[in-house]
Each structure stands twice: as structure tokens, then as C-alpha cells.
Amino acid sequence: MELSLERLTKQYDNKIIVDRIEFKLNEGIYGLLGENGAGKTTLIRMICGVLSPTSGEVKVDDKNNLDMGEDFRDMIGYLPQDFGYYPDFTAKEFMLYIASLKGLIPRYAKEKSQELLEMVGLSGVVNKKIRTFSGGMKQRLGFAQTLLNDPKILILDEPTAGLDPKERVRFRNLISEFSKEKIVILSTHIVSDVEHIADKILILKKGNLILEGSVEAVTSKIEDKVWKCVVNKNEVDYMAGKYCLANIHHSGGVATLRIISDTKPHDNACNLRPTLEDLYLYCFNEVL
Ligand SMILES: Nc1ncnc2c1ncn2[C@@H]1O[C@H](COP(=O)(O)OP(=O)(O)OP(=O)(O)O)[C@@H](O)[C@H]1O
Ligand SMILES: [Mg+2]
């Protein structure tokens, strides 16, 4: 199956939010990275068919997503950024409710809900009200509902926002485990969410897809731009004003800096291997 974005554009008033995005997606996990306001949610809502593009289109194997109607909804699992959880529902009631919206047969819905709640580690609290859940539990429930219709396309909009590291890792493992034979789009501005599980990274800046490729391929773009140098602690302010500092580590009277710069920032600077976080900083840093 192929999901293709064809000159996909969204404009509000005179502002272009998503700008002629042209891209094809196949099975695998795509990490969509971009800063606040980059247009991730707008792009995702058009892909899910809940927002009409101003121009361009989304196609599944050459068919327009909006023309496909129910056939398209049947293949989509979507966890919106601002997912409403119905605090007075229990986990089980919530799953059955979403299942009925998705048109699942009640008997199958019951079975599938139970199975999914178990898989996301909520089998012990199926009859507890959602208002008693932690942020991580709510997000796992949100994830479980996306899988009710066994979607071929799974879209998660910042699913790990606000989660602690343990829940974050747990969530990441769930995504990895359930992504087989699916097209998964995971939007985030937390690099570590996608660094190790995404097959491809997409970087969205001001509505444009500025970079795409595997983690190795995209980070290689800044191969000679990440530096380590050791300076006196009184030099740090000067360096911070001049360069993008990815890290500062003070020890004794000196500071070890991780710097992202097109040019060698200091006499004693030597190159480091770039990480995805370095690339993110390179793409979104105003200093550069
Ligand atoms: N309905 C709307 N009308 C006007 N402008 C909008 C509308 N929806 C979004 N925008 C604008 O589009 C831009 C992109 O918003 P979007 O929510 O897609 O970004 P995002 O990358 O998801 O950001 P975040 O990381 O904060 O979730 C923002 O400047 C926002 O104000
Ligand atoms: Mg968003």
C-alpha cells in the first residue's frame, strides 16, 4: 500500500500553513519532527481526512482519501493531539464506545477491546474511570483505541507529550510492537521518541518538508558541523552568544561544549558524531 501526498497545501487567510508537500509513504514508522507551529497537526489532519486541503490531495493507492469515505476511515487509526477522554467512562466503556463509532460488531468489539487493553497494560483497571488514570495510562488507552479497527495507517500526534521517561519508553515500545505491516506517522518534538524506532525521519519547518530520510541519512547532513571543545568557564557566555550550544558541561574551571556550527568554533575543537538532536537544533536554531 502506498499513501501519497500530492502538492498538499493548507492556507488560512493569507497564511500558508502546509506548503505543497509532495511525499510517498509505505509500510514503516515515520517520525515527523518540527517545532511548535510547524504545521504537523494541520498536515496530519489532512492525511486523516478530517481537514480538507486548500489544494493538492492525499491518495491511497491512487484513490483520493476524501472520495474513499468509509473505506478510508476503516483503514485509519488516529490519536489526535488533543484527544478527549470522557473522564466518567471506564476504560472498557470508552473502548466499546469508540468501537461502536467505528462500526465494529458488538461481540467482536468486546473481544478486541479486552485484548487491546491487555496489550497496553490496562487489563487491571478496565472498570476504573478514566478520571483516575495517570497521563501515561490515558495515552496508552488512546493508543489502544486507534487499533480497534486494525488500521493499516496509524497516525499519532504527539502521543508522548507530558509523559515521564518510563512511560515514554513504554509507549515507544508499544508503537514499535504494533507497527508491523502498517504505515505509522508519529509526530513529536521529542527527538528520542523517534530516534531509535523510526525508519524515516521527516522534518517539517514552516509548512515545508525540509529533510527526509533514515536517521543515518539525515544526520549525515551535518557530519562535519558538530564539535566538541573545551574552554575556560569565563569564555562560555561569549561562545553561547556566537554559537548554537547543544550542551555545556562544567567541571573544575573548564567547560566542555557541544557546538553546532558550519565552521570550526575554536582552536581546540574537534568533530563529534552528530545525533538527531543535533540535527534538530541545526534545523531550528535561529543563530545559524
Ligand atoms: N484553524 C486555523 N485557523 C488559522 N490558523 C491556524 C488554524 N489551525 C492552525 N493554524 C495555524 O497553523 C500553524 C500550524 O499549526 P499546527 O497546529 O499545525 O502546528 P504544529 O506543528 O502541530 O504545532 P505544535 O507542535 O504546537 O502542536 C500555527 O501557526 C497555527 O496558529
Ligand atoms: Mg500539533
Side-chain angles (χ1 to χ4, degrees):
M1 194 171 64
E2 186 170 77
L3 180 67
S4 58
L5 316 182
E6 303 189 355
R7 290 180 72 81
L8 194 59
T9 303
K10 187 71 192 182
Q11 187 168 348
Y12 287 116
D13 303 320
N14 285 327
K15 209 170 155 217
I16 296 171
I17 308 296
V18 171
D19 193 7
R20 290 165 292 175
I21 289 189
E22 185 85 29
F23 194 68
K24 290 188 191 313
L25 300 95
N26 301 101
E27 275 174 22
I29 303 181
Y30 293 79
L32 178 63
L33 284 175
E35 59 190 345
N36 289 129
K40 301 182 296 295
T41 298
T42 306
L43 174 64
I44 278 176
R45 295 183 69 218
M46 289 192 284
I47 297 174
C48 292
V50 296
L51 181 69
S52 303
T54 306
S55 61
E57 59 183 330
V58 175
K59 284 182 172 171
V60 179
D61 293 336
D62 286 331
K63 278 185 257 166
N64 177 286
N65 66 337
L66 300 175
D67 294 345
M68 286 171 74
E70 201 167 318
D71 286 346
F72 183 70
R73 282 190 291 278
D74 283 348
M75 57 173 72
I76 280 269
Y78 174 34
L79 180 58
Q81 185 168 4
D82 49 2
F83 193 52
Y85 282 99
Y86 304 90
D88 284 322
F89 276 30
T90 66
K92 190 168 151 189
E93 284 165 351
F94 177 74
M95 288 293 276
L96 293 176
Y97 172 65
I98 301 287
S100 72
L101 294 183
K102 292 191 181 202
L104 266 62
I105 307 163
R107 237 182 75 165
Y108 176 74
K110 220 172 143 188
E111 222 169 85
K112 190 77 184 173
S113 298
Q114 208 166 339
E115 176 193 319
L116 288 170
L117 287 169
E118 205 158 298
M119 287 196 205
V120 300
L122 295 174
S123 56
V125 291
V126 291
N127 293 316
K128 289 248 165 26
K129 287 197 173 170
I130 299 173
R131 68 164 76 255
T132 68
F133 284 12
S134 69
M137 290 160 82
K138 284 184 199 160
Q139 286 304 76
R140 278 187 270 132
L141 178 63
F143 181 66
Q145 67 77 29
T146 64
L147 298 173
L148 276 166
N149 55 336
D150 206 2
K152 283 276 167 242
I153 302 170
L154 184 58
I155 301 189
L156 311 165
D157 195 355
E158 290 196 34
T160 60
L163 301 190
D164 70 33
K166 199 173 141 204
E167 278 288 359
R168 193 178 290 288
V169 169
R170 185 169 187 171
F171 204 90
R172 191 168 70 201
N173 291 341
L174 276 175
I175 294 167
S176 211
E177 204 177 312
F178 285 97
S179 64
K180 291 173 200 101
E181 290 156 24
K182 295 186 198 305
I183 296 174
V184 180
I185 303 176
L186 168 61
S187 104
T188 182
H189 31 226
I190 296 149
V191 169
S192 61
D193 283 350
V194 289
E195 190 159 29
H196 303 292
I197 61 165
D199 299 298
K200 267 197 173 174
I201 300 293
L202 309 176
I203 298 188
L204 191 68
K205 184 175 184 177
K206 295 184 178 147
N208 291 287
L209 206 53
I210 59 165
L211 212 52
E212 57 87 7
S214 66
V215 172
E216 293 71 31
V218 293
T219 54
S220 74
K221 302 275 179 204
I222 53 162
E223 213 158 42
D224 52 356
K225 301 183 198 301
V226 182
W227 308 86
K228 171 185 163 175
C229 70
V230 181
V231 298
N232 279 320
K233 65 178 181 189
N234 57 14
E235 283 179 276
V236 173
D237 281 351
Y238 168 77
M239 296 299 276
K242 198 164 172 201
Y243 297 104
C244 167
L245 301 191
N247 196 47
I248 306 169
H249 182 237
H250 285 281
S251 117
V254 298
T256 304
L257 308 179
R258 185 180 188 97
I259 294 177
I260 301 160
S261 166
D262 285 321
T263 54
K264 190 174 178 177
H266 196 276
D267 279 346
N268 73 24
C270 56
N271 272 124
L272 292 172
R273 229 176 112 134
T275 64
L276 193 58
E277 183 175 74
D278 295 325
L279 179 77
Y280 185 96
L281 292 172
Y282 183 77
C283 291
F284 295 106
N285 203 287
E286 298 303 330
V287 177
L288 296 163

PDB file of all heavy atoms in Angstrom, residues 166-185:
ATOM      1  N   LYS A 166       9.800   6.791  31.890  1.00  0.00           N
ATOM      2  CA  LYS A 166       9.430   5.378  31.905  1.00  0.00           C
ATOM      3  C   LYS A 166       8.206   5.126  31.000  1.00  0.00           C
ATOM      4  O   LYS A 166       8.189   4.193  30.207  1.00  0.00           O
ATOM      5  CB  LYS A 166       9.118   4.964  33.348  1.00  0.00           C
ATOM      6  CG  LYS A 166       9.183   3.484  33.550  1.00  0.00           C
ATOM      7  CD  LYS A 166       9.043   3.138  35.021  1.00  0.00           C
ATOM      8  CE  LYS A 166       8.198   1.904  35.167  1.00  0.00           C
ATOM      9  NZ  LYS A 166       7.565   1.829  36.479  1.00  0.00           N
ATOM     10  N   GLU A 167       7.208   5.998  31.128  1.00  0.00           N
ATOM     11  CA  GLU A 167       6.021   5.876  30.285  1.00  0.00           C
ATOM     12  C   GLU A 167       6.352   6.134  28.815  1.00  0.00           C
ATOM     13  O   GLU A 167       5.798   5.533  27.919  1.00  0.00           O
ATOM     14  CB  GLU A 167       4.923   6.849  30.733  1.00  0.00           C
ATOM     15  CG  GLU A 167       4.082   6.348  31.892  1.00  0.00           C
ATOM     16  CD  GLU A 167       3.116   5.219  31.514  1.00  0.00           C
ATOM     17  OE1 GLU A 167       3.058   4.812  30.349  1.00  0.00           O
ATOM     18  OE2 GLU A 167       2.418   4.734  32.428  1.00  0.00           O
ATOM     19  N   ARG A 168       7.276   7.043  28.620  1.00  0.00           N
ATOM     20  CA  ARG A 168       7.714   7.382  27.266  1.00  0.00           C
ATOM     21  C   ARG A 168       8.318   6.157  26.573  1.00  0.00           C
ATOM     22  O   ARG A 168       8.003   5.842  25.431  1.00  0.00           O
ATOM     23  CB  ARG A 168       8.753   8.499  27.380  1.00  0.00           C
ATOM     24  CG  ARG A 168       9.131   9.204  26.126  1.00  0.00           C
ATOM     25  CD  ARG A 168      10.137  10.308  26.445  1.00  0.00           C
ATOM     26  NE  ARG A 168       9.529  11.392  27.181  1.00  0.00           N
ATOM     27  CZ  ARG A 168       8.685  12.270  26.653  1.00  0.00           C
ATOM     28  NH1 ARG A 168       8.385  12.201  25.377  1.00  0.00           N
ATOM     29  NH2 ARG A 168       8.164  13.216  27.376  1.00  0.00           N
ATOM     30  N   VAL A 169       9.170   5.478  27.306  1.00  0.00           N
ATOM     31  CA  VAL A 169       9.819   4.277  26.762  1.00  0.00           C
ATOM     32  C   VAL A 169       8.777   3.183  26.532  1.00  0.00           C
ATOM     33  O   VAL A 169       8.772   2.515  25.497  1.00  0.00           O
ATOM     34  CB  VAL A 169      10.927   3.786  27.719  1.00  0.00           C
ATOM     35  CG1 VAL A 169      11.426   2.413  27.317  1.00  0.00           C
ATOM     36  CG2 VAL A 169      12.072   4.787  27.749  1.00  0.00           C
ATOM     37  N   ARG A 170       7.886   3.055  27.484  1.00  0.00           N
ATOM     38  CA  ARG A 170       6.836   2.050  27.376  1.00  0.00           C
ATOM     39  C   ARG A 170       5.977   2.293  26.126  1.00  0.00           C
ATOM     40  O   ARG A 170       5.655   1.380  25.373  1.00  0.00           O
ATOM     41  CB  ARG A 170       5.963   2.136  28.627  1.00  0.00           C
ATOM     42  CG  ARG A 170       4.919   1.086  28.704  1.00  0.00           C
ATOM     43  CD  ARG A 170       4.320   1.099  30.086  1.00  0.00           C
ATOM     44  NE  ARG A 170       3.422  -0.015  30.224  1.00  0.00           N
ATOM     45  CZ  ARG A 170       2.866  -0.376  31.359  1.00  0.00           C
ATOM     46  NH1 ARG A 170       3.161   0.272  32.462  1.00  0.00           N
ATOM     47  NH2 ARG A 170       2.047  -1.389  31.399  1.00  0.00           N
ATOM     48  N   PHE A 171       5.641   3.565  25.924  1.00  0.00           N
ATOM     49  CA  PHE A 171       4.830   3.949  24.780  1.00  0.00           C
ATOM     50  C   PHE A 171       5.572   3.691  23.473  1.00  0.00           C
ATOM     51  O   PHE A 171       5.029   3.163  22.516  1.00  0.00           O
ATOM     52  CB  PHE A 171       4.460   5.435  24.893  1.00  0.00           C
ATOM     53  CG  PHE A 171       3.221   5.769  24.131  1.00  0.00           C
ATOM     54  CD1 PHE A 171       1.983   5.689  24.732  1.00  0.00           C
ATOM     55  CD2 PHE A 171       3.282   6.127  22.793  1.00  0.00           C
ATOM     56  CE1 PHE A 171       0.825   5.968  24.018  1.00  0.00           C
ATOM     57  CE2 PHE A 171       2.134   6.410  22.077  1.00  0.00           C
ATOM     58  CZ  PHE A 171       0.906   6.330  22.695  1.00  0.00           C
ATOM     59  N   ARG A 172       6.837   4.034  23.497  1.00  0.00           N
ATOM     60  CA  ARG A 172       7.673   3.830  22.304  1.00  0.00           C
ATOM     61  C   ARG A 172       7.732   2.354  21.935  1.00  0.00           C
ATOM     62  O   ARG A 172       7.618   1.981  20.772  1.00  0.00           O
ATOM     63  CB  ARG A 172       9.073   4.356  22.628  1.00  0.00           C
ATOM     64  CG  ARG A 172       9.983   4.460  21.454  1.00  0.00           C
ATOM     65  CD  ARG A 172      11.200   5.257  21.822  1.00  0.00           C
ATOM     66  NE  ARG A 172      12.069   4.538  22.735  1.00  0.00           N
ATOM     67  CZ  ARG A 172      12.970   5.109  23.526  1.00  0.00           C
ATOM     68  NH1 ARG A 172      13.109   6.415  23.533  1.00  0.00           N
ATOM     69  NH2 ARG A 172      13.719   4.391  24.328  1.00  0.00           N
ATOM     70  N   ASN A 173       7.870   1.512  22.941  1.00  0.00           N
ATOM     71  CA  ASN A 173       7.919   0.074  22.686  1.00  0.00           C
ATOM     72  C   ASN A 173       6.597  -0.443  22.131  1.00  0.00           C
ATOM     73  O   ASN A 173       6.580  -1.317  21.265  1.00  0.00           O
ATOM     74  CB  ASN A 173       8.296  -0.681  23.960  1.00  0.00           C
ATOM     75  CG  ASN A 173       9.735  -0.420  24.351  1.00  0.00           C
ATOM     76  OD1 ASN A 173      10.544   0.013  23.531  1.00  0.00           O
ATOM     77  ND2 ASN A 173      10.068  -0.649  25.616  1.00  0.00           N
ATOM     78  N   LEU A 174       5.498   0.114  22.653  1.00  0.00           N
ATOM     79  CA  LEU A 174       4.183  -0.285  22.141  1.00  0.00           C
ATOM     80  C   LEU A 174       4.051   0.047  20.661  1.00  0.00           C
ATOM     81  O   LEU A 174       3.605  -0.768  19.853  1.00  0.00           O
ATOM     82  CB  LEU A 174       3.071   0.460  22.892  1.00  0.00           C
ATOM     83  CG  LEU A 174       2.597  -0.094  24.221  1.00  0.00           C
ATOM     84  CD1 LEU A 174       1.587   0.856  24.840  1.00  0.00           C
ATOM     85  CD2 LEU A 174       1.974  -1.482  24.038  1.00  0.00           C
ATOM     86  N   ILE A 175       4.465   1.257  20.321  1.00  0.00           N
ATOM     87  CA  ILE A 175       4.360   1.700  18.928  1.00  0.00           C
ATOM     88  C   ILE A 175       5.169   0.772  18.029  1.00  0.00           C
ATOM     89  O   ILE A 175       4.692   0.301  16.999  1.00  0.00           O
ATOM     90  CB  ILE A 175       4.856   3.158  18.773  1.00  0.00           C
ATOM     91  CG1 ILE A 175       3.924   4.096  19.526  1.00  0.00           C
ATOM     92  CG2 ILE A 175       4.952   3.548  17.309  1.00  0.00           C
ATOM     93  CD1 ILE A 175       4.465   5.498  19.712  1.00  0.00           C
ATOM     94  N   SER A 176       6.377   0.506  18.467  1.00  0.00           N
ATOM     95  CA  SER A 176       7.265  -0.350  17.706  1.00  0.00           C
ATOM     96  C   SER A 176       6.648  -1.728  17.478  1.00  0.00           C
ATOM     97  O   SER A 176       6.661  -2.269  16.383  1.00  0.00           O
ATOM     98  CB  SER A 176       8.511  -0.471  18.548  1.00  0.00           C
ATOM     99  OG  SER A 176       9.595  -0.613  17.838  1.00  0.00           O
ATOM    100  N   GLU A 177       6.078  -2.249  18.535  1.00  0.00           N
ATOM    101  CA  GLU A 177       5.497  -3.583  18.510  1.00  0.00           C
ATOM    102  C   GLU A 177       4.269  -3.680  17.590  1.00  0.00           C
ATOM    103  O   GLU A 177       4.057  -4.673  16.921  1.00  0.00           O
ATOM    104  CB  GLU A 177       5.069  -3.897  19.943  1.00  0.00           C
ATOM    105  CG  GLU A 177       4.977  -5.343  20.292  1.00  0.00           C
ATOM    106  CD  GLU A 177       4.622  -5.437  21.772  1.00  0.00           C
ATOM    107  OE1 GLU A 177       5.267  -4.756  22.594  1.00  0.00           O
ATOM    108  OE2 GLU A 177       3.676  -6.187  22.078  1.00  0.00           O
ATOM    109  N   PHE A 178       3.476  -2.595  17.572  1.00  0.00           N
ATOM    110  CA  PHE A 178       2.220  -2.653  16.819  1.00  0.00           C
ATOM    111  C   PHE A 178       2.301  -2.041  15.426  1.00  0.00           C
ATOM    112  O   PHE A 178       1.294  -1.881  14.763  1.00  0.00           O
ATOM    113  CB  PHE A 178       1.100  -1.971  17.616  1.00  0.00           C
ATOM    114  CG  PHE A 178       0.640  -2.811  18.743  1.00  0.00           C
ATOM    115  CD1 PHE A 178       1.134  -2.611  20.019  1.00  0.00           C
ATOM    116  CD2 PHE A 178      -0.261  -3.845  18.530  1.00  0.00           C
ATOM    117  CE1 PHE A 178       0.734  -3.412  21.066  1.00  0.00           C
ATOM    118  CE2 PHE A 178      -0.665  -4.650  19.568  1.00  0.00           C
ATOM    119  CZ  PHE A 178      -0.167  -4.435  20.851  1.00  0.00           C
ATOM    120  N   SER A 179       3.518  -1.708  15.009  1.00  0.00           N
ATOM    121  CA  SER A 179       3.614  -1.000  13.740  1.00  0.00           C
ATOM    122  C   SER A 179       3.808  -1.929  12.548  1.00  0.00           C
ATOM    123  O   SER A 179       3.829  -1.483  11.417  1.00  0.00           O
ATOM    124  CB  SER A 179       4.781  -0.036  13.808  1.00  0.00           C
ATOM    125  OG  SER A 179       5.961  -0.781  13.956  1.00  0.00           O
ATOM    126  N   LYS A 180       3.917  -3.222  12.842  1.00  0.00           N
ATOM    127  CA  LYS A 180       4.233  -4.150  11.753  1.00  0.00           C
ATOM    128  C   LYS A 180       3.190  -4.090  10.643  1.00  0.00           C
ATOM    129  O   LYS A 180       1.997  -4.069  10.898  1.00  0.00           O
ATOM    130  CB  LYS A 180       4.339  -5.573  12.300  1.00  0.00           C
ATOM    131  CG  LYS A 180       5.556  -5.731  13.177  1.00  0.00           C
ATOM    132  CD  LYS A 180       5.594  -7.089  13.871  1.00  0.00           C
ATOM    133  CE  LYS A 180       6.498  -7.033  15.071  1.00  0.00           C
ATOM    134  NZ  LYS A 180       5.802  -6.913  16.347  1.00  0.00           N
ATOM    135  N   GLU A 181       3.679  -4.052   9.435  1.00  0.00           N
ATOM    136  CA  GLU A 181       2.813  -4.025   8.248  1.00  0.00           C
ATOM    137  C   GLU A 181       1.857  -2.838   8.217  1.00  0.00           C
ATOM    138  O   GLU A 181       0.760  -2.932   7.665  1.00  0.00           O
ATOM    139  CB  GLU A 181       2.038  -5.343   8.115  1.00  0.00           C
ATOM    140  CG  GLU A 181       2.952  -6.496   7.746  1.00  0.00           C
ATOM    141  CD  GLU A 181       2.398  -7.840   8.145  1.00  0.00           C
ATOM    142  OE1 GLU A 181       1.170  -7.950   8.278  1.00  0.00           O
ATOM    143  OE2 GLU A 181       3.199  -8.763   8.317  1.00  0.00           O
ATOM    144  N   LYS A 182       2.264  -1.763   8.851  1.00  0.00           N
ATOM    145  CA  LYS A 182       1.433  -0.558   8.810  1.00  0.00           C
ATOM    146  C   LYS A 182       2.283   0.631   8.367  1.00  0.00           C
ATOM    147  O   LYS A 182       3.502   0.610   8.475  1.00  0.00           O
ATOM    148  CB  LYS A 182       0.909  -0.216  10.220  1.00  0.00           C
ATOM    149  CG  LYS A 182      -0.037  -1.211  10.832  1.00  0.00           C
ATOM    150  CD  LYS A 182      -0.566  -0.642  12.143  1.00  0.00           C
ATOM    151  CE  LYS A 182      -1.177  -1.704  13.043  1.00  0.00           C
ATOM    152  NZ  LYS A 182      -2.237  -2.498  12.437  1.00  0.00           N
ATOM    153  N   ILE A 183       1.554   1.652   7.929  1.00  0.00           N
ATOM    154  CA  ILE A 183       2.206   2.944   7.735  1.00  0.00           C
ATOM    155  C   ILE A 183       1.941   3.707   9.028  1.00  0.00           C
ATOM    156  O   ILE A 183       0.784   3.911   9.400  1.00  0.00           O
ATOM    157  CB  ILE A 183       1.579   3.718   6.552  1.00  0.00           C
ATOM    158  CG1 ILE A 183       1.807   2.973   5.239  1.00  0.00           C
ATOM    159  CG2 ILE A 183       2.138   5.143   6.487  1.00  0.00           C
ATOM    160  CD1 ILE A 183       1.089   3.594   4.037  1.00  0.00           C
ATOM    161  N   VAL A 184       3.003   4.055   9.735  1.00  0.00           N
ATOM    162  CA  VAL A 184       2.825   4.756  11.009  1.00  0.00           C
ATOM    163  C   VAL A 184       3.452   6.152  10.901  1.00  0.00           C
ATOM    164  O   VAL A 184       4.598   6.287  10.473  1.00  0.00           O
ATOM    165  CB  VAL A 184       3.498   3.989  12.172  1.00  0.00           C
ATOM    166  CG1 VAL A 184       3.297   4.720  13.494  1.00  0.00           C
ATOM    167  CG2 VAL A 184       2.964   2.572  12.262  1.00  0.00           C
ATOM    168  N   ILE A 185       2.675   7.157  11.277  1.00  0.00           N
ATOM    169  CA  ILE A 185       3.226   8.515  11.334  1.00  0.00           C
ATOM    170  C   ILE A 185       3.145   8.966  12.786  1.00  0.00           C
ATOM    171  O   ILE A 185       2.081   8.933  13.398  1.00  0.00           O
ATOM    172  CB  ILE A 185       2.446   9.502  10.442  1.00  0.00           C
ATOM    173  CG1 ILE A 185       2.427   9.012   8.995  1.00  0.00           C
ATOM    174  CG2 ILE A 185       3.065  10.905  10.532  1.00  0.00           C
ATOM    175  CD1 ILE A 185       1.592   9.872   8.063  1.00  0.00           C
TER     176      ILE A 185
END
